[in-house]
Amino acid sequence: MPANKSGPAPKKKKGRRGRLVALTVVLLLVAGIGFGAYWGVSTVRASFPETTGSLKLPGLTDPVDVIRDANGIPQIYADTDEDLFRAQGYVQAQDRFWEMDVRRHMTAGRLSEMFGKSQIKTDEFLRTLGWHEVAQKEYDTKLSPSTKKYLQAYSAGVNAYLKDHQGSALSVEYAALGLTNDYKPEQWTPADSVAWLKAMAWDLRGNMQDEIDRALMTSRFTPAQIAELYPSYPYQRNRPIVDGGSVDPATKEFDPKGTPTANGGTTTARTPRGAANGLRSQLSSLSKSLDSVPALLGPNGNGIGSNSWVVSGEHTTTGKPLLANDPHLAPQMPSLWYQMGLHCRTTGPKCSYDVAGFTFSGMPGVIIGHNQSISWGMTNLGADVTDLYLEKINADGYLFDGKQQPFLTRQETIKVAGGDSRKITVRSTNNGPIVSDRDDELTNVGKDAPVADGAPDRGDGYAVSLRWTALEPGKSMDAVFELNRAQDWTAFRKAAADFEVPSQNLIYADTKGNIGYQAPGKIPVRGKGDGTYPAPGWDPAYQWKSYIPQSALPYEYNPKRGYIVTANQAVTDAKYPYLLTKDWGYGARSQRINDLIESKIKDGGKVSTDDMQTFQKDNSSEIARLLTPYLTKIDIKDKYVRDAQQLLNGWDFTQEPDSAAAAYFNAVWRNTLKLAFGNKMPKELRVQGQCLYVRPAGDTGPADENNKLVRECGERSGDTAQPDGGDRWYEVVRNILDDPNNAWWKTEDRPGHPGLKNRDQLLAQAMRDARYELTSKLGKNIDHWAWGRLHQMDLKNQTLGKEGPGFLQDLLNRGPWNLGGGEAAVDATGWNASGGYKVTWVPSMRMVVNLADLDKSRWINLTGASGHAYHAHYYDQTDKWAKGELLPWAFSEDAVKKAGKDTLTLSP
């Protein structure tokens, strides 16, 4: 069958526009490439999928129908499970194979095969982690026979598409890649699908970056100061997910109605000692390696998360539950999500699925969505499932429990497009791979380290290894299919028990009116230590002892309050007997959602589907509500600055795209953080290229002529630098706001430049700095200021859209969009206050499921169904998404057929 005869049949007006766009693309490609190659319109359109008529798909037992709606969203109808997933593989390859191919090369540490030597360092680090190797073991030894059959069928569907599509027929990116590389895609394998769960787990790995950051802070801050920058979770103000509950010490079962009697989750960490110069160098390099790994889900840290909540029928206008979810992930082109329906024409032993929702291209099944009986959503639980260990090593092995142990080693060969292959040796200890082997700076370990006395002779220093639950084979792929099939609470909880990695908050609702929550995951029980600092790998006392029993993990079922909110806040109160993490999100978003629901249902009010959608777009700023009253009371003498200050008078703290007050406040917040904290951070945590004159690390004397300042430049990417301005920093500032002479408000005296002495002086300086910053960015006239002009989202195509030639980036990327919302708002268009105002994570999709009538559910994706540049569905949902609109979500066969625009039949 030819790759594509005509592509979809658009309406006449759209077709003409499409031809004009395609022609423009061709001309730009010809001009930009400069190789004299002629790129016709057919080159651009060659990869557009056939969506009507009939195609052969070898291996099917019966015909399969693929019905696409006006947005190109496919709903698949089949008679057997294997046919369903074979067709899913084929259809996802039609729309998204470039994305799938880049992902699998990333998870396997094989990006250099596609993109050359620039990716070698990244590949070396990823090979050291060994995601693909673990995924293959998972497939070989852990997954159920049915899951293996589904993965095989899915792979066969992808490979059937690859058989007839190569080069530009796969996507325009392959045509561009073919100009410099003879790369040809390999066959898809089940392990390629399973490995994607490792990438998902990596980006949701919890507090690893915090662990590194705290250790790096020891060069500038005392342990007490570091503790002030990581305050305790505000349980009294921001409600945890689960109200109360206890674990029976004998049965290890969690009882949501039980009364907690002990606090067993507060193991005390050993306080770091000394400046740790060498270890800092090592951890700084490790941090750079982490930054180089493509963050497919988003910058790891405070922003990674999601909102989800469910309201029972007691409090809804429909009389049945309403469930909302919007995961906060990195903006990218295409969106990480792919909307899809998977339907058995008749459910039974041969075919057991009737499910729709958001999928990952490259992986069978539905990740978030609903079937005919239940719906579920996910947010990141944030469990601490990674630990860094210091290792005392020599050429032959590592020290453990007083004895020398041999390394576990493996050889890896990295193929490089246009260059020689690179061979590396991966060394592992009993704690995991030695990640410090992967950078030139990491080969020399420090002379000092943050460990207590009694450590072994430092010699040449310590290496750093990584213990991580995702490096152990598990059954999370089984859980995906179990969730898709589950028809009630019992089956849902059984599926959740297999969702080991990544650990997610799972919310639940069913058509019978029940709601629930389950915390799943493979979460370690430590010996000594609490995971907040690197642990001594030679000491058996710091080993992981076991994992929290699944029966002991918190859950709720039909709680009395009638609703459940999960938005990365603490799962339980401090009395829960197991340590889940010390680094929760601080609950700004979750408490706002709680408050919105409470305000709606008080006095017998009811929540509608429209209300759920409105809640998702709430952009109120908690830090503005807290800080603005202090800002407006400061006596500003300079009229130029005072004019800007007056924008805050009467402001309602909402962050609309056209708000001048939101623009100014966020600039003041950014400059407040910079003056009080950012300029005092070690260079490893400051933004790359930001250079300051500071005292040498370790010096405590005044900055005078006898103690000269040194120039230090920041080393961290703008997406992960500190302070990031998230709700942890809300708590830091809240704790000192009524202490105007607190040391954090003071800046250093420097020769000829007296420092700031108190809170009001610092806030006044921040307002002045913000006024001049926005003047340079937005102009002198404050009436023309707008938050959205600062707070912009760009959608970038994977790899070539970020690192390809400039003209190619222009062709593949889209944007910018001026957005409202903000950091730690419910409409979580996140930005890093150290790096600037650009949007670094977003609600990557939104859905509201109506359990009273599934056909009245709503959904939206960040971009569109297609991964093909210039296709009508490349980003046709983005404008609606930016406005907070949702699309109708047809589910029943009648509704799907009514909404259908194109039907493709896949035949045996």
Side-chain angles (χ1 to χ4, degrees):
M1 180 63 64
N4 180 50
K5 292 180 179 177
S6 61
K11 294 179 181 179
K12 186 174 182 180
K13 184 176 179 181
K14 288 186 177 179
R16 182 174 179 273
R17 181 176 179 275
R19 287 193 294 273
L20 290 173
V21 170
L23 183 59
T24 303
V25 171
V26 171
L27 294 173
L28 287 169
L29 283 170
V30 172
I33 292 167
F35 288 110
Y38 175 72
W39 287 45
V41 172
S42 60
T43 302
V44 178
R45 295 180 59 87
S47 60
F48 290 7
E50 290 187 63
T51 58
T52 59
S54 179
L55 290 172
K56 297 290 186 183
L57 178 52
L60 291 177
T61 56
D62 297 292
V64 173
D65 289 327
V66 183
I67 302 174
R68 295 177 186 259
D69 67 9
N71 293 98
I73 299 169
Q75 306 272 351
I76 301 176
Y77 289 86
D79 292 321
T80 71
D81 291 336
E82 287 87 342
D83 282 357
L84 194 62
F85 295 117
R86 187 180 298 262
Q88 184 182 15
Y90 188 89
V91 170
Q92 287 191 342
Q94 279 187 306
D95 282 335
R96 297 284 193 97
F97 186 74
W98 170 260
E99 174 192 17
M100 293 163 59
D101 202 15
V102 171
R103 271 187 197 164
R104 68 163 164 175
H105 278 77
M106 192 274 283
T107 58
R110 296 174 56 189
L111 290 169
S112 300
E113 293 180 24
M114 297 180 77
F115 306 111
K117 63 182 181 180
S118 66
Q119 301 299 315
I120 289 175
K121 285 289 185 184
T122 299
D123 283 347
E124 288 179 347
F125 189 76
L126 292 166
R127 292 288 184 97
T128 299
L129 295 179
W131 292 350
H132 202 273
E133 181 185 45
V134 176
Q136 188 64 57
K137 289 179 182 176
E138 209 157 281
Y139 176 79
D140 292 339
T141 65
K142 290 288 186 178
L143 300 181
S144 69
S146 62
T147 294
K148 289 184 177 182
K149 283 196 300 184
Y150 302 155
L151 287 164
Q152 291 163 3
Y154 180 90
S155 296
V158 175
N159 291 330
Y161 190 75
L162 289 181
K163 185 174 183 293
D164 295 326
H165 298 79
Q166 298 175 5
S168 61
L170 272 176
S171 77
V172 71
E173 290 93 335
Y174 288 103
L177 200 64
L179 295 170
T180 59
N181 190 346
D182 60 358
Y183 169 79
K184 298 289 190 298
E186 295 178 355
Q187 294 278 288
W188 194 268
T189 71
D192 292 335
S193 295
V194 177
W196 171 239
L197 285 170
K198 303 304 174 187
M200 181 180 174
W202 177 253
D203 284 349
L204 301 175
R205 62 192 178 272
N207 78 333
M208 183 174 170
Q209 193 66 59
D210 287 325
E211 190 175 339
I212 293 170
D213 289 354
R214 275 187 288 260
L216 292 171
M217 285 179 184
T218 60
S219 68
R220 293 284 175 187
F221 304 139
T222 67
Q225 288 173 316
I226 294 172
E228 290 173 344
L229 300 183
Y230 288 87
S232 299
Y233 184 87
Y235 289 102
Q236 297 305 310
R237 189 184 335 107
N238 295 342
R239 175 189 289 167
I241 296 172
V242 175
D243 287 340
S246 65
V247 176
D248 186 307
T251 64
K252 305 297 185 187
E253 290 189 3
F254 183 82
D255 178 1
K257 298 180 180 179
T259 302
T261 57
N263 180 0
T266 57
T267 306
T268 301
R270 190 170 290 185
T271 301
R273 179 183 67 82
N277 295 327
L279 181 69
R280 283 199 312 278
S281 173
Q282 192 177 39
L283 289 176
S284 176
S285 295
L286 175 56
S287 183
K288 292 174 187 174
S289 295
L290 300 183
D291 267 355
S292 72
V293 176
L296 292 182
L297 301 190
N300 185 262
N302 185 65
I304 273 285
S306 309
N307 300 321
S308 70
W309 65 93
V310 60
V311 182
S312 74
E314 175 189 0
H315 298 304
T316 67
T317 57
T318 67
K320 289 288 177 72
L322 294 171
L323 184 150
N325 197 187
D326 55 282
H328 306 155
L329 306 173
Q332 58 184 273
M333 177 64 80
S335 165
L336 191 76
W337 300 106
Y338 183 88
Q339 295 150 290
M340 199 172 214
L342 302 171
H343 307 278
C344 293
R345 294 190 179 99
T346 303
T347 56
K350 285 177 55 180
C351 202
S352 49
Y353 294 88
D354 189 13
V355 61
F358 293 86
T359 72
F360 288 137
S361 301
M363 216 175 85
V366 170
I367 303 301
I368 294 173
H370 69 81
N371 59 30
Q372 69 272 43
S373 300
I374 76 165
S375 180
W376 67 96
M378 296 184 188
T379 65
N380 191 24
L381 192 150
D384 185 358
V385 295
T386 59
D387 276 341
L388 295 172
Y389 283 90
L390 307 177
E391 304 284 1
K392 175 61 180 174
I393 68 170
N394 60 28
D396 300 318
Y398 62 97
L399 185 69
F400 180 72
D401 198 15
K403 298 178 181 177
Q404 196 72 15
Q405 305 288 337
F407 293 118
L408 179 66
T409 63
R410 70 177 190 274
Q411 305 296 316
E412 295 277 354
T413 300
I414 297 171
K415 297 179 181 178
V416 182
D420 296 331
S421 295
R422 179 76 59 91
K423 292 187 177 181
I424 64 170
T425 299
V426 176
R427 304 186 295 176
S428 296
T429 72
N430 60 339
N431 292 312
I434 298 179
V435 289
S436 55
D437 279 350
R438 294 284 73 87
D439 192 288
D440 293 340
E441 294 179 36
L442 302 182
T443 57
N444 297 317
V445 187
K447 297 178 180 179
D448 194 12
V451 291
D453 293 336
D457 175 60
R458 300 181 193 280
D460 292 332
Y462 301 131
V464 179
S465 64
L466 172 65
R467 182 90 189 259
W468 179 33
T469 54
L471 298 184
E472 302 170 18
K475 298 190 293 182
S476 293
M477 197 70 237
D478 282 346
V480 172
F481 296 111
E482 291 168 0
L483 279 174
N484 288 194
R485 293 192 303 264
Q487 298 296 303
D488 55 29
W489 173 246
T490 300
F492 170 82
R493 289 194 73 202
K494 184 178 182 296
D498 285 336
F499 209 100
E500 298 173 339
V501 177
S503 185
Q504 297 288 286
N505 295 307
L506 293 173
I507 61 166
Y508 168 92
D510 63 36
T511 55
K512 294 180 179 179
N514 302 298
I515 66 172
Y517 162 80
Q518 177 67 58
K522 191 173 186 178
I523 304 170
V525 175
R526 293 169 176 82
K528 283 188 176 182
D530 61 7
T532 56
Y533 284 96
W538 52 83
D539 188 343
Y542 285 83
Q543 293 289 290
W544 291 1
K545 300 301 182 185
S546 60
Y547 297 97
I548 298 175
Q550 290 292 312
S551 62
L553 289 170
Y555 74 93
E556 282 190 319
Y557 187 58
N558 293 327
K560 186 177 180 180
R561 64 183 177 277
Y563 64 90
I564 301 169
V565 175
T566 86
N568 319 115
Q569 78 272 41
V571 172
T572 65
D573 63 25
K575 294 181 180 179
Y576 182 69
Y578 294 98
L579 175 65
L580 297 175
T581 185
K582 288 277 189 157
D583 291 301
W584 299 113
Y586 282 77
R589 282 182 289 109
S590 63
Q591 193 55 45
R592 177 63 178 171
I593 297 166
N594 273 292
D595 292 343
L596 289 168
I597 295 172
E598 285 283 359
S599 68
K600 190 69 181 179
I601 67 176
K602 69 180 180 180
D603 303 324
K606 302 288 186 179
V607 177
S608 68
T609 306
D610 287 343
D611 292 329
M612 300 286 275
Q613 185 172 340
T614 299
F615 294 168
Q616 288 181 326
K617 280 295 289 179
D618 183 85
N619 57 30
S620 178
S621 169
E622 181 188 339
I623 189 59
R625 193 179 304 274
L626 176 68
L627 192 57
T628 298
Y630 293 84
L631 297 174
T632 55
K633 290 177 183 176
I634 294 174
D635 184 16
I636 299 293
K637 305 297 184 185
D638 185 340
K639 183 181 182 301
Y640 193 65
V641 179
R642 193 168 63 249
D643 287 346
Q645 180 192 30
Q646 289 173 354
L647 288 171
L648 303 179
N649 292 327
W651 178 44
D652 63 359
F653 315 120
T654 59
Q655 301 173 95
E656 296 296 332
D658 61 355
S659 171
Y664 182 60
F665 173 80
N666 282 311
V668 174
W669 172 237
R670 167 173 150 80
N671 282 280
T672 297
L673 291 171
K674 181 179 179 181
L675 291 168
F677 310 103
N679 290 348
K680 301 168 186 175
M681 290 281 171
K683 64 181 185 297
E684 295 90 351
L685 273 68
R686 295 203 314 272
V687 175
Q688 186 175 12
Q690 181 194 84
C691 300
L692 300 172
Y693 284 92
V694 298
R695 285 178 297 144
D699 281 2
T700 58
D704 56 27
E705 293 181 0
N706 296 319
N707 182 14
K708 293 185 178 179
L709 302 176
V710 296
R711 188 172 186 265
E712 283 189 352
C713 296
E715 299 177 352
R716 184 68 64 84
S717 77
D719 289 349
T720 58
Q722 292 293 334
D724 61 21
D727 60 359
R728 171 163 68 87
W729 292 98
Y730 294 9
E731 294 304 311
V732 172
V733 171
R734 187 192 301 272
N735 289 341
I736 65 172
L737 201 48
D738 289 329
D739 180 7
N741 296 310
N742 188 283
W744 289 111
W745 297 120
K746 301 176 182 179
T747 63
E748 274 193 344
D749 288 326
R750 298 186 178 184
H753 297 280
L756 304 169
K757 304 302 183 186
N758 56 44
R759 179 197 65 202
D760 287 356
Q761 284 188 15
L762 187 139
L763 293 179
Q765 184 65 44
M767 283 194 283
R768 181 182 186 277
D769 291 348
R771 173 39 155 146
Y772 283 93
E773 180 187 1
L774 294 199
T775 297
S776 68
K777 287 181 165 68
L778 302 179
K780 287 183 178 182
N781 189 340
I782 61 175
D783 293 334
H784 295 164
W785 289 0
W787 173 226
R789 290 177 58 201
L790 282 176
H791 190 53
Q792 295 184 324
M793 176 186 72
D794 287 293
L795 295 174
K796 295 189 175 183
N797 183 280
Q798 287 188 60
T799 309
L800 290 182
K802 295 178 180 179
E803 299 178 10
F807 78 90
L808 193 57
Q809 294 187 35
D810 292 340
L811 294 174
L812 298 176
N813 300 339
R814 298 293 182 270
W817 279 265
N818 296 347
L819 298 185
E823 182 65 35
V826 180
D827 184 14
T829 54
W831 55 286
N832 185 300
S834 289
Y837 304 99
K838 73 170 185 175
V839 175
T840 55
W841 50 75
V842 294
S844 55
M845 63 80 158
R846 297 186 183 101
M847 74 175 193
V848 178
V849 180
N850 183 334
L851 276 301
D853 185 346
L854 293 169
D855 285 330
K856 292 182 179 177
S857 301
R858 304 171 186 176
W859 60 354
I860 196 81
N861 204 351
L862 175 63
T863 58
S866 180
H868 300 292
Y870 315 107
H871 192 279
H873 302 309
Y874 190 46
Y875 65 108
D876 57 325
Q877 297 184 47
T878 308
D879 286 343
K880 290 182 173 65
W881 171 92
K883 296 173 185 175
E885 298 176 13
L886 300 178
L887 299 172
W889 181 355
F891 178 71
S892 69
E893 188 170 3
D894 287 345
V896 169
K897 287 181 177 178
K898 186 177 179 180
K901 298 299 181 185
D902 292 331
T903 299
L904 175 69
T905 299
L906 300 173
S907 302

